[in-house]
Amino acid sequence: VSPPGRKVQSSKLGPTPPRLLTEEEYRLQGEVETRKALAELRSFCQSPEFSAWSTVSRIQSPKRFAAFVGGASHVTPSEVSVHEREFGLESLFIDEQLFEEDDDDDDDDDEDSDSFAG
């Protein structure tokens, strides 16, 4: 029997939260799952259940789609280049520079506030 006013904690606390992925694990999982999904999509598009004419009549780039179904990449070299500029190492470097500049600005603010203290 527990003292009055105290709740007894259940021995069944529920499931433990899943471990979060590292950035590298997240990137790798994204690559693996994307490749797997693209392979499944290609396979479906080559199957008898797929209505090629119906699909081709609705898409902007039927030749590009046909190339993809035949095994070509789902992105063009220029799309890869744009992505690398926006999300690759180059953008990380730019982000770091921006944050460093912001940190420098914060230091200036601290010095200003110290000069008013006295």
Side-chain angles (χ1 to χ4, degrees):
V1 176
S2 62
R6 271 206 161 158
K7 293 183 179 179
V8 178
Q9 189 174 19
S10 169
S11 61
K12 186 178 179 185
L13 297 175
T16 35
R19 181 183 71 81
L20 299 177
L21 299 176
T22 65
E23 285 187 43
E24 180 66 12
E25 289 170 329
Y26 177 80
R27 187 186 62 74
L28 287 172
Q29 183 178 2
E31 289 176 12
V32 167
E33 293 301 320
T34 298
R35 272 191 241 111
K36 190 166 79 173
L38 288 170
E40 289 173 10
L41 178 60
R42 269 193 194 98
S43 178
F44 174 73
C45 291
Q46 294 170 349
S47 72
E49 301 91 41
F50 179 69
S51 174
W53 288 113
S54 172
T55 301
V56 168
S57 68
R58 295 179 301 184
I59 60 177
Q60 291 179 347
S61 304
K63 288 181 182 178
R64 183 175 170 184
F65 176 73
F68 164 75
V69 172
S73 177
H74 66 292
V75 290
T76 65
S78 65
E79 289 169 336
V80 170
S81 177
V82 168
H83 184 270
E84 284 302 315
R85 276 198 310 274
E86 291 182 14
F87 303 104
L89 293 176
E90 186 177 313
S91 73
L92 292 176
F93 177 71
I94 292 169
D95 286 347
E96 283 178 13
Q97 285 182 328
L98 290 174
F99 285 121
E100 285 174 7
E101 288 173 11
D102 287 348
D103 290 347
D104 291 345
D105 291 345
D106 291 346
D107 291 344
D108 292 344
D109 292 344
D110 290 343
E111 290 171 10
D112 291 343
S113 62
D114 291 342
S115 64
F116 293 116

